[in-house]
Amino acid sequence: MDSTELVQFSAVTVVLLLVLFYGGTFLISTRIGKKNENADGYMTAGNKIGFGVSAASMTATWIWASSLYASATSGYTYGISGPIHYGLWGALMILFIYPFGKRIRAVAPKAHTLAEVMYARHGASSQLMLAGSNVVGSLISLMSNFIAGGVLISMLSPFSFVQGVVFVAAGVLLYTLWSGFRASVLTDFVQVVAMLGAVVVIIPAVFFITGFPDAFDVGASNLTEQQSNFFSSDAFLNQGAPYIAAVLAYAIGNQTIAQRLFAVREDLIKPTFITATVGYGATVIGVGMFGVLALYLGIDPMDGDVNNIIPQMVASYLPAVLVVLFFVMIIGALSSTADSDLAALSSIVMADIYGQNIAGGKEHADPKRMLFVGRATMVLATAAAVGFASMRLNILDLLVFVGALWGALVFPVIASFYWSKVTNKAFTTSVLLALALFLPVRFGWFSMDGVVGYLVDVVSVVGVGVIAGLMAFGFFGLRVARIVAVATALIAAPFAIGFLHDYAVLSASLVAYAVSTVVCWAMSANSKEEFDFDVIAQRVGDFDPVESDPDGDSDNDQTLTKDRAWDS
């Protein structure tokens, strides 16, 4: 089936759509802003957000434009199982967050960042490691969302890619700068409603217009044997398995997730993350099928860039009115995550860099100066992300790389919330050694032939056991986790040893998990330290206690804390 010409909007139409979208979100943000903003509200909105807003925000943050594009890329690259491997594992990882999240909130009910808690638990080195990884991760996430916006605008209008990036960056900064996390979380609610509504209309429309299901019969010859196999080993080893490791690391290490964990009312953590699990999985798998359909139709990505698959499919087959709906959906998806990245970056700089390391703790930090620092961070981060976005890197590769990199932190972070013997030296050493081995394996700095390859495979098998054990630990406790970890590693060994090193992304991620876990455990097992977890709640709290109650001086803040206003 030959595609038609792409729908094209005039410059005036695109500008009008962007002004309406970002102007509307800006007006919403002004309604919730405070004349005398306080630092804690700017970072976590008072720790009392209700179910409706928190579930919508968690869903919108996890469903970003890059995840939609990457799911379609996976479908186009790996065939019918590609979107399943991308969307299903991503959804399950949201589910796996909440048992750890309940423990984290119990230990640090008034925290703003995970790194801030690591400072109270260990000291500056572990804090800065986690904060630094989040700065890198959030900048890459911000950049990839700007890339998605630039691709969309350049494809559907006379504007260039760089102009599209600048438009999106300016729009997101406009409303997020005003009231920080409050703006992010409330506009997420509006954006996710629009986004899910558009998905319900657009996905069936594309499949109907392209001749589903006949197109699958006619185009079956366009697929390789692996692409047509639902249980494709190629799809699992290149996409599914690396993504399982990556998204678990995202769940534990990502400040955008942690920020919502600290903001939602503590008794609503479980339903919030379960709801986000369902919303994410259904949406991302559905949109990812665009890539599968493009594969069956024999469509070549415009300019050879797989990031163009979704907008190319929509603009080729849908009428203009539905393309407008799609435009709003993607702009909403990328904006909901980009504003979360800006809020996360500002919180890290406010709480971890200024609050703890420059000012010397919550008792000495100046809340007004913190606000200035947070807003300046947003401006600088936006400028940096716009510059990096012009490089137009592959979004799927970026996501997997960052997630794998965070794998070095997962066990030390989780263990620090449960095991009193973990020391700062064990945390720091394990992460650094894991990164030192992750990078050469990931980028092939040495030959994997012979003994080296087998050693990497053995370590990778340990990593398989670690990931399975951590997942089991969150729900079933330590005893079950140990059994699951050992059993999984033993089952995987005969199938993995001898060839797993050929898959650099997967093996490097597994090596990071294995090394950080083994080293951290070995250095902590004989430790005489017995950390008192009650100390964390005393060390971590509000920077602006006088104005930390979001209901104390502004009716607008009640929007975020009264469940009934949003649960309906």
Side-chain angles (χ1 to χ4, degrees):
M1 181 176 181
D2 295 330
S3 63
T4 58
E5 293 184 1
L6 299 183
V7 172
Q8 285 286 301
F9 296 136
S10 67
V12 174
T13 299
V14 170
V15 169
L16 181 60
L17 288 172
L18 291 173
V19 168
L20 288 174
F21 182 86
Y22 287 119
T25 51
F26 175 71
L27 289 176
I28 292 173
S29 71
T30 59
R31 292 287 302 275
I32 60 173
K34 299 171 66 177
K35 183 177 180 180
N36 295 315
E37 183 66 83
N38 72 69
D40 300 297
Y42 197 82
M43 289 188 281
T44 55
N47 309 105
K48 295 181 181 179
I49 298 178
F51 170 72
V53 174
S54 59
S57 182
M58 186 67 248
T59 304
T61 298
W62 205 254
I63 302 175
W64 40 331
S66 298
S67 65
L68 299 180
Y69 280 35
S71 182
T73 297
S74 184
Y76 187 81
T77 305
Y78 302 113
I80 57 177
S81 63
I84 305 296
H85 281 303
Y86 190 96
L88 177 62
W89 303 125
L92 290 179
M93 287 308 106
I94 302 175
L95 186 65
F96 281 116
I97 299 171
Y98 92 78
F100 297 119
K102 292 175 68 175
R103 170 62 179 174
I104 292 170
R105 277 296 294 273
V107 170
K110 289 287 187 177
H112 309 89
T113 71
L114 275 178
E116 182 186 16
V117 183
M118 288 300 102
Y119 181 87
R121 176 68 174 86
H122 293 303
S125 61
S126 58
Q127 177 201 28
L128 294 178
M129 278 186 175
L130 192 54
S133 68
N134 266 286
V135 168
V136 173
S138 291
L139 279 175
I140 290 178
S141 172
L142 192 62
M143 175 188 67
S144 64
N145 278 287
F146 290 168
I147 289 173
V151 167
L152 178 67
I153 292 173
S154 64
M155 184 174 291
L156 300 180
S157 75
F159 293 112
S160 68
F161 168 77
V162 174
Q163 288 172 322
V165 168
V166 172
F167 291 158
V168 170
V172 173
L173 182 63
L174 173 69
Y175 70 86
T176 311
L177 190 67
W178 181 265
S179 52
F181 181 73
R182 284 195 186 94
S184 172
V185 75
L186 187 56
T187 55
D188 280 350
F189 183 90
V190 178
Q191 289 161 352
V192 80
V193 170
M195 182 171 55
L196 296 180
V199 166
V200 169
V201 175
I202 289 172
I203 294 176
V206 170
F207 275 76
F208 175 78
I209 293 172
T210 54
F212 176 84
D214 294 339
F216 283 82
D217 294 329
V218 175
S221 60
N222 293 324
L223 278 66
T224 66
E225 182 179 351
Q226 283 288 320
Q227 288 173 331
S228 60
N229 182 4
F230 185 79
F231 299 101
S232 166
S233 60
D234 188 37
F236 178 75
L237 291 171
N238 284 296
Q239 173 63 62
Y243 200 59
I244 293 172
V247 293
L248 179 59
Y250 263 100
I252 299 302
N254 193 322
Q255 171 59 17
T256 62
I257 308 300
Q259 200 163 14
R260 280 148 184 79
L261 172 64
F262 291 128
V264 66
R265 228 176 63 196
E266 194 168 348
D267 61 314
L268 296 174
I269 291 175
K270 181 177 179 179
T272 293
F273 284 94
I274 290 177
T275 303
T277 297
V278 176
Y280 174 90
T283 303
V284 171
I285 291 173
V287 174
M289 296 306 292
F290 282 172
V292 177
L293 184 58
L295 184 63
Y296 273 92
L297 294 172
I299 294 175
D300 294 323
M302 183 175 292
D303 300 325
D305 187 351
V306 289
N307 293 333
N308 292 334
I309 287 292
I310 290 182
Q312 184 178 345
M313 287 287 293
V314 171
S316 296
Y317 293 103
L318 292 183
V321 63
L322 290 183
V323 178
V324 169
L325 191 63
F326 166 78
F327 184 88
V328 173
M329 178 188 78
I330 296 298
I331 293 297
L334 68 88
S335 297
S336 66
T337 305
D339 62 34
S340 300
D341 289 322
L342 288 179
L345 284 165
S346 66
S347 294
I348 290 170
V349 177
M350 289 169 71
D352 296 310
I353 296 178
Y354 170 76
Q356 295 286 1
N357 288 284
I358 296 178
K362 62 181 182 178
E363 297 84 3
H364 307 290
D366 181 352
K368 291 184 178 179
R369 185 170 295 176
M370 289 186 75
L371 285 169
F372 173 78
V373 168
R375 287 175 171 140
T377 299
M378 288 190 182
V379 175
L380 293 175
T382 300
V386 168
F388 289 131
S390 62
M391 301 168 64
R392 297 190 70 165
L393 302 174
N394 183 282
I395 292 173
L396 185 58
D397 288 345
L398 289 175
L399 297 180
V400 174
F401 172 75
V402 174
L405 193 63
W406 269 331
L409 287 157
V410 174
F411 179 84
V413 169
I414 292 177
S416 295
F417 282 100
Y418 291 89
W419 194 15
S420 62
K421 288 181 174 292
V422 179
T423 64
N424 183 48
K425 186 176 181 180
F427 186 107
T428 305
T429 305
S430 63
V431 172
L432 290 177
L433 284 176
L435 292 178
L437 291 177
F438 164 80
L439 293 173
V441 174
R442 173 64 182 85
F443 295 107
W445 290 353
F446 50 76
S447 173
M448 290 288 181
D449 295 333
V451 177
V452 174
Y454 279 94
L455 288 175
V456 170
D457 290 345
V458 171
V459 177
S460 297
V461 167
V462 175
V464 171
V466 167
I467 292 173
L470 288 174
M471 291 178 181
F473 173 69
F475 289 98
F476 306 110
L478 183 59
R479 179 177 296 181
V480 173
R482 286 172 173 168
I483 295 172
V484 170
V486 173
T488 303
L490 291 175
I491 293 171
F495 302 98
I497 296 176
F499 83 98
L500 194 58
H501 58 268
D502 292 331
Y503 298 87
V505 174
L506 175 57
S507 57
S509 179
L510 294 174
V511 165
Y513 273 96
V515 172
S516 63
T517 299
V518 171
V519 173
C520 186
W521 174 82
M523 294 183 66
S524 302
N526 296 321
S527 169
K528 296 182 180 180
E529 178 172 323
E530 292 292 340
F531 183 79
D532 181 5
F533 287 101
D534 292 336
V535 173
I536 293 179
Q538 301 170 16
R539 295 176 178 175
V540 177
D542 292 336
F543 286 93
D544 196 349
V546 175
E547 296 183 340
S548 62
D549 182 3
D551 292 326
D553 57 355
S554 174
D555 292 338
N556 294 326
D557 288 320
Q558 294 177 11
T559 307
L560 294 179
T561 58
K562 289 187 176 180
D563 296 340
R564 292 181 181 178
W566 289 100
D567 291 351
S568 60

